[in-house]
Each structure stands twice: as structure tokens, then as C-alpha cells.
């Protein structure tokens, strides 16, 4: 049975144990156990720390800024840097001093012989080295633990704008000394995303014929990030400058207390008075404040050494010692009970951080216990510490499995980017679709989560390489497209010149078709460089609009005359409706021709009202029927109106078109007559009174009359 199984139970109410740990300042607390503490310090200093495990531990433990960090901050002056160098030099001798003090302690207490063999193992020593380092870090800056309470979001999945917003929130709402890890991770992610964008823009710049010397790229969001990060550094440096000053003052104060403690052994006074003086020194020591991290172990070991000497001096008064031993045992048992609970805690990071506080309380706030309990309670606490560490290591192993899955996802995304990049479209729209696909894959990559740290750089490099290859192919396409666009620009400039040369032309009949043609040609040419597109389009549009505005103004003026002509023709039709012929064919024909001449003289009507001509011809047909004129005579009289109109035009193209139209009609009528005559061959044996035969004969006669009319019209137009 282990001696730890025989540990006494802590006195007092069980519900108040944790509260007692948190409120650990008590008027009955005394100095450290001389034998036990010397042994612990020796073990912590002499054993080698495994590099791989230390790296893992530092992720949680080493969250404070060391003296060298402070000395190398952006705004620290030269004198402060020199001071830091001196302090670092002093620190290089710290181990020697600690070993010397420990040797002194060993000679005084002979504790080394009582240390269990299992506590000398490298794993156990390494764990306690971590805890010792954590306590030192917490001692320098008591806000170290607060950094772990700030939520660390998935900065990798955030956009540049979201990262800047998150940085602003941290600087505004949190203590500057607690956000270092958060800020540095935000900075890394922002720079990665921005540098990727810079590389893409640089390749586009070079693809367009630019010189690398002339390349410069910045964005408003980059300037905003730089401004926010500058604010952070200003606040951080101001804090650590003040902290450095305070740490040095506290360090000097603790050295003075050590000297005062040493002097107690040479004071000739009542033992009760000396003991009360010792308790006063302890109280002032606890309230002296944090000291530089690199001085922590040296100062504490020196203080413990002289505390142990005082206990040796005090051994003559066993009443004081027994009282302290009992109180210290009570408190250390409560620490062990809390450590037992932490070993079952599911939140391993929270358990580890609280374990650091327990070690700090064990080391700083509690003194020695009776020799019979020293080894068992330390063994029990050490085993629990080891178990909490093992829980944490198991947690990180499980976390590594998640990271491995994220790595598989990211590698698949990189493969998809490579595959998309291998298919090179031949059109602008095709490339635009590819660009959207790549953007979607980039978003998936950033949202896929973290990967193992040992392949993080490689994964990021492969991702950038795949995207870069796509961008190079895209830029090569648009470089060729730019050459084509330049040729299109020259073609459109020629059309602009034609439009500007003809915009003032008054020959609307010739210029209008030309202007319409160049507008059609413009649409067929295709894209030009974007920087020229709006400018040349404005020139072309202005020239065309100028011409067509003039054309429309001219037509609007003509339209006014056409409206007046429409009104007059409507009045003329109404007068013809009431016209009564005299019965004298010659006189009536002259009257009709006179009305036709009046109609002709009125002029054109709006195009939409051209059906008024059909209405007028219908009235004329009715008048001609009253004169018993043949259809041919009637048509020729009405045709004279059209011939007069054609003869008054300066361009003879209208007359030629009319002749072609009449010849076409003559050919069509002849074809119809031949077809009808062929159809009669099917009725050779039919009687003459057959309805079908009669109908065909009537159609043939009607077409022959039409043929005579068209031939007469052709004869008349030839006479012009």
C-alpha cells in the first residue's frame, strides 16, 4: 500500500475547500518546508527538458512577454535595450546561484535522501519543469491566464475585412497584454491572404507588359489593417515599458525583504516578537507584486533558503512549528483534492491552467508540513499532475486527427483547383466561369480548418502554386485577348471617323443608310480595352445622335405638312361624296380629272394614314362607273396621278423600280393565264354549260383584262 493512501483527510466543510484554495491568504500561513522545497527545486533545475514536449507545452504556458521581448519592442530606446542586455547577462548565472543555494539547503536539511526514486524520472521532472516555468510566467504578468479566456476564432476562414474588424474589437475590448497570440495569428492570416492577392496582381501587371520596377499595389483594407496593428503595437509597447519599470521596483523590494529575513537570525529579542516579525515579512512578500520572469526562480529559491534557516532557528519553539505544519497540511490536502477533480475535467486546457495556479499556491503560499507527510503528499500531487498532463496530451492527439482530416479536405481542394486550371477556355465568358469556380474553391480552402503544423507551410505553398498556375493561364489568355481588343479598337475608331465626317450631311437619303450601316458594323466588332470602351462609345454615340437628331427634326417639320395634307384630303373626300355628275360624260370626266389633280396637289399624308388613298380610289371607282368607262380607262386615268408624282422626282430610280414592278406583274399575269388554259385541257369532254368550265373561262378573261391594263401602264411610263 502506498503511503499516499494513509494521508489524513482535510479538516473543515468539504464545500468550502475550493473557496479556501482561492482565498489562500491566511493569518496562520508560515514559511516553506525547508527539506521538501530544497528537494523540489533541485529536481526542477537539474533535469533536462525534452524539446518536443517543451514545444507543445509552450503553446499554452509561454504566453507572457520576456525581458528580451520588452527590450526589443518597437518604441524602446537604446538605454532600455542596454539595460535588458545586462539583465540577460545576469540571468545567465542564475542556474549557478540556484544550485549553490540548493546545495546549502541540502546540507542544512538533508532532504535529498528522502526523495522517492520515481520522482527522479525524466518525464516527471519534465512535467514539473513545465509547471515551474508556468508559475514563473504567471508571476511576471498576472494577466497571463486571461489570454486563455479570450475566444480564439477560426481566423483562417475569415476574409481580410473580417480579420481587420476582429483586430479592432480585440484592441478595444481586451487588455493589450492578453491578446498577443490572437493578434499574431490574425496578422499571419491577413498577410497570407494579402500576399496572395499581391502576387496575382503582380502577374497580371507583368502579363500586361509592365516593368517589375514600376509595380506597386495597396488597398484601403491593407491600410486599415496597418493602422489597427500600429495602434496595437503602441498600446503594447506602452504597457510593457511600464511593466518593466514595475517589475524592477518589485524585484528590489523583494531583495530588501530577503535581507530583512536574513537579519532575523541575529536579532536578540523575545521569540514571540521575532516570530511576529517573520509573519510580517511573509505578508509583505506576498503583496510585493510580480518580478521579472528570468529572476523569479533565483529570488524565490533565495527566499526559501533563508525561510528554511529561520525554521531551523525556530525549532526550539515547537508550538509555532506544529501550528504551521498543521495548517499547511490542511491546505495542501485541499489542493490535492482539487487536483483530483481536475483529473476528471473534460476541458483539459481549463484543467491545465488551473493546475498551474495550484502549483503556484503550493509553492508560494504554503509552507512545510511534518516530515511523515512530506513525501506522500508530494507524491500524490505529482501523480495527479502527471495524469492531467496525460489527459491533455491525449486531447492533442485527438485534435491532430481532426487536423489530419482537414488536411485531406484541403489536398482534395488543391487537386480540384489544379483540375479546373488545366481546362483552358477559349472565350471571355468561359474564363469568367472558371474564375468563379476558383473563387468558390478558395473559400472552401479557407473554411476547411487547420492542418498539422508540420505540413502547414507545405499545404499553403501547394495551394498558392495551384492558384498561381491558374492565374498565369488566365493572364496569358487575356494578354492575347488584349491584342484582339486593340485591333477592335482601331476598327471602331475608323467607324467613329466616318460618323463624325457625315454627322453634318444634309443628303439624308444617302447618309441615313450609311449611318445605319456603321451602327450595325459597330455591334459586330466585339470588345475593346476596358479603359477605352466608355470613351470611344461616347464619341460614336454623340456623332450618330447628332446626325439622327437633325434627321428627326427634318422629318418632324415634314410631318407637320403631312398632317395638314391629311386634313385637306379628308375634306376633299367629304366633298367628293356629295358630288353629283351632270350626265354629260365628257364634262363629268373633266370634273373627275380636275378633282384628281386637286388631290394630287395636296401632297403626302403621314405613313400611318396612307389607307386614305384606298378610300379615295373607292370613291373614284364609283364615279367612273357612273360614266360607263371601261376598267382599263379608269385604271389609266388614276395611274396618271402616280406618273405625275414619279416624273417630279429628281432621282430616276423610282421610275426604274416602277417599270420593273410592272414587268414583273405582266409576267405573273401571263403565267396565271397559261395555268388556267392548261387546266381547260382537263375539261375537253365537258359541256360548255359546266360550272367549272364557265368559272375558268371567266378567270382567263379577267386576267387578260388585267394584262391589257398592265401593258398600257408600261407603255405610259416608257413615254416619260
Amino acid at each position: 500500500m502506498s503511503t499516499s493512501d494513509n494521508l489524513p483527510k482535510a479538516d473543515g466543510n468539504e464545500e468550502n475547500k475550493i473557496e479556501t484554495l482561492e482565498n489562500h491568504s491566511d493569518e496562520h500561513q508560515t514559511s516553506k518546508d525547508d527539506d521538501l522545497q530544497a528537494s523540489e527545486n533541485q529536481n526542477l533545475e537539474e533535469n533536462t527538458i525534452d524539446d518536443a514536449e517543451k514545444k507543445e507545452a509552450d503553446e499554452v504556458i509561454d504566453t507572457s512577454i520576456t525581458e528580451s521581448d520588452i527590450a526589443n519592442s518597437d518604441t524602446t530606446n537604446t538605454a532600455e535595450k542596454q539595460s535588458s542586455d545586462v539583465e540577460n547577462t545576469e540571468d545567465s548565472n542564475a542556474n549557478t546561484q540556484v544550485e549553490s543555494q540548493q546545495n546549502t539547503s541540502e546540507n542544512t536539511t538533508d532532504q535529498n535522501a528522502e526523495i522517492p526514486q520515481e520522482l527522479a524520472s525524466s518525464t516527471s521532472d519534465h512535467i514539473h519543469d513545465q509547471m515551474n516555468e508556468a508559475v514563473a510566467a504567471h508571476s511576471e504578468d498576472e494577466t497571463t491566464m486571461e489570454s486563455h479566456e479570450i475566444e480564439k476564432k477560426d481566423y483562417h476562414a475569415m476574409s481580410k475585412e473580417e480579420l481587420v474588424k476582429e483586430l479592432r474589437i480585440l484592441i478595444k475590448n481586451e487588455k493589450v497584454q492578453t491578446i498577443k497570440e490572437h493578434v499574431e495569428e490574425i496578422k499571419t492570416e491577413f498577410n497570407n491572404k494579402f500576399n496572395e492577392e499581391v502576387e496575382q496582381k503582380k502577374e497580371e501587371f507583368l502579363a500586361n507588359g509592365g516593368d517589375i520596377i514600376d509595380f506597386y499595389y495597396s488597398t484601403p483594407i491593407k491600410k486599415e489593417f496597418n493602422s489597427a496593428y500600429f495602434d496595437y503595437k503602441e498600446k503594447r509597447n506602452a504597457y510593457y515599458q511600464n511593466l518593466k519599470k514595475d517589475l524592477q521596483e518589485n524585484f528590489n523590494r523583494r531583495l530588501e525583504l530577503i535581507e530583512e529575513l536574513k537579519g532575523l537570525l541575529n536579532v536578540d529579542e523575545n521569540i514571540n516578537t521575532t516570530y511576529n516579525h517573520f509573519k510580517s515579512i511573509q505578508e509583505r512578500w506576498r503583496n510585493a507584486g510580480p518580478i521579472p520572469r528570468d529572476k523569479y526562480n533565483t529570488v524565490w529559491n533565495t527566499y526559501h533558503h533563508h525561510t528554511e534557516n529561520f525554521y531551523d532557528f525556530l525549532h526550539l519553539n515547537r508550538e509555532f512549528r506544529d501550528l504551521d505544519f498543521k495548517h499547511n497540511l490542511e491546505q495542501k490536502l485541499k489542493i490535492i483534492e482539487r487536483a483530483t477533480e481536475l483529473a476528471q475535467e473534460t476541458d483539459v486546457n481549463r484543467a491545465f491552467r488551473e493546475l498551474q495556479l495550484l502549483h503556484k499556491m503550493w509553492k508560494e503560499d504554503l509552507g512545510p508540513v511534518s516530515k511523515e507527510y512530506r513525501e506522500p503528499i508530494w507524491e500524490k500531487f505529482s501523480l495527479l499532475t502527471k495524469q492531467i498532463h496525460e489527459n491533455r496530451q491525449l486531447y492533442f492527439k485527438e485534435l491532430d486527427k481532426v487536423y489530419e482530416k482537414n488536411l485531406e479536405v484541403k489536398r482534395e481542394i488543391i487537386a480540384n483547383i489544379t483540375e479546373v486550371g488545366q481546362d483552358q477556355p477559349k472565350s471571355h465568358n468561359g474564363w469568367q466561369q472558371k474564375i468563379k469556380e476558383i473563387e468558390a474553391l478558395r473559400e472552401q480552402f479557407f473554411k476547411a480548418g487547420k492542418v498539422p503544423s508540420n505540413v502547414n507551410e507545405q499545404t499553403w505553398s501547394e495551394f498558392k502554386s495551384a492558384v498561381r498556375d491558374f492565374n498565369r493561364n488566365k493572364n496569358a489568355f487575356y494578354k492575347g485577348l488584349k491584342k484582339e481588343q486593340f485591333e477592335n479598337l482601331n476598327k471602331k475608331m475608323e467607324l467613329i471617323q466616318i460618323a463624325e465626317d457625315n454627322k453634318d450631311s444634309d443628303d439624308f437619303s444617302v447618309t441615313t443608310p450609311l449611318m445605319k450601316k456603321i451602327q450595325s458594323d459597330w455591334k459586330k466588332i466585339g470588345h475593346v480595352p476596358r479603359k477605352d470602351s466608355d470613351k470611344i462609345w461616347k464619341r460614336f454615340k454623340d456623332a450618330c445622335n447628332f446626325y439622327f437628331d437633325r434627321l428627326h427634326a427634318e422629318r418632324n417639320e415634314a410631318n407637320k405638312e403631312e398632317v395638314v395634307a391629311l386634313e385637306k384630303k379628308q375634306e376633299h373626300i367629304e366633298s367628293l361624296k356629295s358630288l353629283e355628275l351632270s350626265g354629260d360624260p365628257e364634262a363629268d370626266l373633266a370634273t373627275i380629272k380636275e378633282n384628281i389633280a386637286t388631290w394630287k396637289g395636296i401632297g403626302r399624308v403621314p405613313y400611318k394614314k396612307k389607307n386614305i388613298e384606298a378610300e379615295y380610289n373607292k370613291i373614284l371607282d364609283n364615279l367612273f362607273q357612273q360614266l360607263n368607262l371601261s376598267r382599263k380607262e379608269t385604271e389609266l386615268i388614276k395611274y396618271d396621278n402616280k406618273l405625275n408624282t414619279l416624273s417630279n422626282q429628281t432621282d430616276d430610280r423610282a421610275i426604274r423600280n416602277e417599270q420593273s414592278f410592272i414587268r414583273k406583274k405582266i409576267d405573273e399575269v401571263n403565267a396565271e393565264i397559261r395555268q388556267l388554259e392548261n387546266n381547260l385541257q382537263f375539261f375537253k369532254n365537258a359541256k360548255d354549260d359546266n360550272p367549272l368550265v364557265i368559272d375558268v373561262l371567266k378567270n382567263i378573261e379577267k386576267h387578260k383584262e388585267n394584262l391589257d391594263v398592265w401593258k398600257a401602264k408600261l407603255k405610259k411610263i416608257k413615254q416619260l
Side-chain angles (χ1 to χ4, degrees):
M1 180 182 295
S2 172
T3 55
S4 62
D5 295 334
N6 296 323
L7 293 178
K9 299 296 182 181
D11 295 337
N13 192 329
E14 292 292 322
E15 296 178 354
N16 295 329
K17 290 177 182 178
I18 304 305
E19 180 180 356
T20 305
L21 287 176
E22 295 173 345
N23 301 296
H24 47 269
S25 59
D26 190 282
E27 61 181 359
H28 296 294
Q29 290 182 356
T30 63
S31 61
K32 306 295 183 184
D33 181 4
D34 45 344
D35 300 327
L36 183 59
Q37 289 302 319
S39 172
E40 292 174 8
N41 290 331
Q42 180 181 8
N43 282 324
L44 292 176
E45 290 296 327
E46 291 178 349
N47 287 285
T48 304
I49 298 176
D50 181 81
D51 291 337
E53 294 181 354
K54 185 176 187 303
K55 180 178 180 182
E56 176 183 322
D58 286 345
E59 294 179 0
V60 174
I61 298 174
D62 191 10
T63 58
S64 65
I65 303 296
T66 64
E67 284 287 304
S68 59
D69 292 329
I70 300 173
N72 292 322
S73 61
D74 294 343
T75 59
T76 305
N77 58 34
T78 305
E80 290 171 332
K81 292 182 179 179
Q82 294 172 346
S83 174
S84 177
D85 293 338
V86 172
E87 290 170 358
N88 290 332
T89 303
E90 292 174 354
D91 186 48
S92 66
N93 298 320
N95 290 335
T96 304
Q97 182 178 355
V98 171
E99 291 172 0
S100 174
Q101 293 166 351
Q102 290 172 342
N103 290 333
T104 303
S105 177
E106 289 169 4
N107 293 332
T108 304
T109 62
D110 194 26
Q111 175 64 24
N112 190 47
E114 300 182 21
I115 298 177
Q117 182 64 33
E118 51 268 33
L119 291 181
S121 65
S122 60
T123 302
S124 179
D125 289 339
H126 164 62
I127 292 174
H128 288 294
D129 283 345
Q130 288 187 21
M131 300 312 304
N132 204 38
E133 173 65 17
V135 172
H138 187 270
S139 174
E140 180 181 71
D141 184 356
E142 295 180 349
T143 61
T144 301
M145 295 297 179
E146 296 180 22
S147 63
H148 299 289
E149 304 302 327
I150 303 174
E151 179 185 6
K152 185 175 287 187
K153 301 179 181 178
D154 188 1
Y155 301 127
H156 187 64
M158 291 185 177
S159 65
K160 295 190 294 295
E161 290 75 13
E162 291 171 334
L163 289 172
V164 172
K165 181 180 179 182
E166 187 65 24
L167 178 58
R168 290 286 191 192
I169 291 174
L170 287 173
I171 296 172
K172 179 180 179 182
N173 299 335
E174 306 294 344
K175 296 177 181 179
V176 70
Q177 67 271 25
T178 64
I179 60 175
K180 177 185 177 182
E181 290 184 1
H182 301 71
V183 172
E184 291 305 315
E185 187 171 341
I186 288 174
K187 178 185 176 184
T188 299
E189 294 298 338
F190 183 91
N191 286 339
N192 285 342
K193 290 179 172 61
F194 181 75
N195 290 337
E196 180 199 1
E197 184 178 339
V198 169
E199 290 179 7
Q200 179 178 345
K201 296 298 181 182
K202 183 190 295 183
E203 290 180 0
E204 292 177 0
F205 178 78
L206 297 177
N208 293 332
D211 191 330
I212 187 62
I213 299 177
D214 300 326
F215 178 77
Y216 174 77
Y217 181 74
S218 184
T219 61
I221 194 64
K222 174 61 174 173
K223 295 177 181 177
E224 187 176 349
F225 174 81
N226 290 343
S227 174
Y229 190 72
F230 178 80
D231 292 342
Y232 162 73
K233 291 197 298 182
E234 288 285 297
K235 292 182 67 175
R236 181 196 65 185
N237 293 333
Y239 168 80
Y240 283 112
Q241 285 177 14
N242 293 331
L243 177 62
K244 181 181 178 182
K245 179 181 177 182
D246 293 342
L247 292 176
Q248 188 62 39
E249 291 177 354
N250 296 339
F251 174 67
N252 294 334
R253 186 177 302 114
R254 289 185 184 273
L255 292 180
E256 293 173 359
L257 290 173
I258 290 173
E259 291 299 320
E260 187 175 347
L261 177 60
K262 290 165 58 178
L264 291 180
L265 303 181
N266 302 320
V267 175
D268 185 14
E269 59 185 4
N270 181 275
I271 191 65
N272 291 333
T273 304
T274 303
Y275 180 74
N276 290 333
H277 191 175
F278 170 72
K279 300 297 288 184
S280 172
I281 292 174
Q282 281 190 315
E283 182 66 23
R284 283 179 285 156
W285 179 270
R286 283 192 291 268
N287 296 326
I291 63 175
R293 179 178 176 181
D294 59 339
K295 305 291 193 302
Y296 177 78
N297 286 322
T298 301
V299 172
W300 270 102
N301 287 322
T302 303
Y303 173 73
H304 290 161
H305 169 69
H306 292 292
T307 301
E308 291 160 1
N309 288 341
F310 179 77
Y311 269 103
D312 289 337
F313 170 74
L314 194 64
H315 77 279
L316 296 177
N317 192 323
R318 304 183 63 85
E319 180 182 355
F320 288 140
R321 290 195 63 172
D322 291 343
L323 184 63
D324 277 353
F325 284 168
K326 179 180 178 182
H327 171 77
N328 294 337
L329 179 62
E330 288 268 344
Q331 298 304 313
K332 287 188 175 182
L333 287 174
K334 290 177 181 179
I335 288 178
I336 290 173
E337 289 181 5
R338 180 54 184 160
T340 303
E341 295 174 358
L342 293 179
Q344 308 302 320
E345 174 66 56
T346 56
D347 188 344
V348 294
N349 285 326
R350 178 174 175 272
F352 184 72
R353 292 194 296 271
E354 188 169 341
L355 179 64
Q356 295 176 31
L357 294 177
L358 295 181
H359 272 265
K360 185 174 187 291
M361 293 160 60
W362 186 290
K363 178 177 182 179
E364 296 184 9
D365 299 332
L366 299 176
V369 299
S370 299
K371 286 188 177 183
E372 60 186 293
Y373 297 124
R374 290 176 189 172
E375 179 180 333
I377 63 173
W378 177 246
E379 178 184 357
K380 182 67 173 177
F381 190 42
S382 297
L383 290 175
L384 290 170
T385 297
K386 182 178 179 182
Q387 182 179 347
I388 294 171
H389 271 263
E390 290 174 349
N391 293 344
R392 183 166 171 268
Q393 290 173 353
L394 180 61
Y395 165 78
F396 283 120
K397 287 182 180 179
E398 294 299 321
L399 195 60
D400 285 340
K401 293 180 182 179
V402 176
Y403 290 169
E404 288 292 340
K405 291 181 180 179
N406 295 343
L407 177 62
E408 294 177 6
V409 173
K410 287 196 170 184
R411 284 177 172 168
E412 182 178 355
I413 293 172
I414 292 172
N416 290 338
I417 293 175
T418 302
E419 182 179 354
V420 171
Q422 290 174 348
D423 180 19
Q424 301 181 21
K426 303 299 182 182
S427 66
H428 167 71
N429 290 336
W431 276 104
Q432 290 301 307
Q433 181 61 35
K434 291 291 182 183
I435 291 172
K436 291 180 181 179
E437 292 179 23
I438 294 295
E439 284 299 316
L441 290 171
R442 288 181 74 257
E443 289 297 319
Q444 294 176 23
F445 181 87
F446 288 123
K447 292 179 180 179
K450 294 183 178 181
V451 300
S453 57
N454 61 323
V455 294
N456 184 54
E457 288 297 327
Q458 178 185 350
T459 307
W460 177 249
S461 177
E462 292 173 356
F463 168 73
K464 289 196 298 181
S465 178
V467 175
R468 188 184 301 113
D469 290 342
F470 170 81
N471 288 331
R472 285 174 178 169
N473 293 332
K474 177 196 68 176
N475 294 336
F477 168 80
Y478 280 104
K479 185 177 182 180
L481 188 63
K482 216 167 187 73
K483 180 180 179 181
E484 179 183 341
Q485 289 178 346
F486 185 75
E487 294 174 354
N488 292 339
L489 176 63
N490 291 334
K491 294 177 182 179
K492 288 193 173 184
M493 291 301 297
E494 293 175 359
L495 296 183
I496 290 174
Q497 191 63 45
I498 295 173
E500 291 178 344
D501 290 344
N502 290 275
K503 67 178 183 177
D504 296 315
S505 174
D506 293 327
D507 190 352
F508 297 113
S509 59
V510 175
T511 307
T512 300
L514 175 64
M515 298 296 279
K516 289 182 178 180
K517 182 178 183 304
I518 64 175
Q519 286 182 325
S520 177
D521 292 344
W522 182 280
K523 296 177 182 178
K524 298 175 183 177
I525 289 177
H527 295 287
V528 301
R530 181 177 298 179
K531 63 185 180 66
D532 299 310
S533 179
D534 292 340
K535 180 173 61 177
I536 65 171
W537 167 243
K538 185 177 186 305
R539 281 185 62 186
F540 182 71
K541 183 178 68 172
D542 289 348
C544 292
N545 287 346
F546 183 83
Y547 171 78
F548 283 107
D549 286 345
R550 292 177 58 248
L551 176 63
H552 294 154
E554 185 76 15
R555 287 181 175 177
N556 289 337
E557 189 64 30
N559 287 341
K560 293 180 182 178
E561 297 177 357
E562 291 175 354
V563 171
V564 173
L566 175 63
E567 294 175 353
K568 290 181 178 180
K569 286 192 173 184
Q570 289 173 338
E571 293 174 358
H572 187 69
I573 288 175
E574 292 299 323
S575 64
L576 279 180
K577 289 180 180 180
S578 60
L579 177 65
E580 295 182 1
L581 299 179
S582 63
D584 183 354
E586 293 184 2
D588 290 339
L589 181 59
T591 301
I592 292 174
K593 288 183 176 182
E594 182 181 350
N595 276 280
I596 291 174
T598 303
W599 179 270
K600 172 191 167 185
I602 293 175
R604 295 174 57 185
V605 299
Y607 179 79
K608 294 182 180 180
K609 299 296 182 179
K610 63 180 182 178
N611 59 344
I612 197 172
E613 295 290 337
E615 184 181 356
Y616 178 67
N617 288 330
K618 185 177 180 180
I619 295 174
L620 286 181
D621 290 342
N622 185 40
L623 292 174
F624 283 128
Q625 288 177 2
Q626 296 180 34
L627 295 177
N628 295 323
L629 294 177
S630 66
R631 182 173 178 274
K632 178 179 178 181
E633 292 175 327
T634 302
E635 287 294 328
L636 291 176
I637 292 172
K638 292 190 292 183
Y639 192 61
D640 285 338
N641 286 332
K642 186 171 185 178
L643 290 178
N644 290 332
T645 302
L646 294 175
S647 62
N648 290 331
Q649 293 185 7
T650 57
D651 190 354
D652 61 352
R653 284 184 301 178
I655 296 177
R656 291 198 301 271
N657 291 339
E658 182 67 14
Q659 287 180 357
S660 299
F661 175 74
I662 293 174
R663 288 191 179 96
K664 183 179 179 181
K665 283 295 184 181
I666 291 174
D667 293 339
E668 290 176 357
V669 174
N670 279 326
E672 288 289 337
I673 292 173
R674 285 194 298 271
Q675 182 65 40
L676 291 171
E677 289 176 345
N678 290 335
N679 292 342
L680 284 177
Q681 300 299 320
F682 297 103
F683 301 98
K684 288 181 179 180
N685 300 324
K687 296 181 180 181
D688 293 339
D689 60 350
N690 186 305
L692 293 176
V693 174
I694 294 173
D695 187 52
V696 171
L697 291 173
K698 285 182 178 179
N699 282 337
I700 291 174
E701 188 63 29
K702 182 178 179 181
H703 280 84
K704 286 182 177 180
E705 289 179 1
N706 288 337
L707 182 61
D708 289 341
V709 172
W710 287 115
K711 288 181 177 180
K713 288 182 177 180
L714 180 61
K715 183 177 179 181
K716 274 184 171 290
I717 198 171
K718 285 182 177 181
Q719 294 174 355
L720 294 178

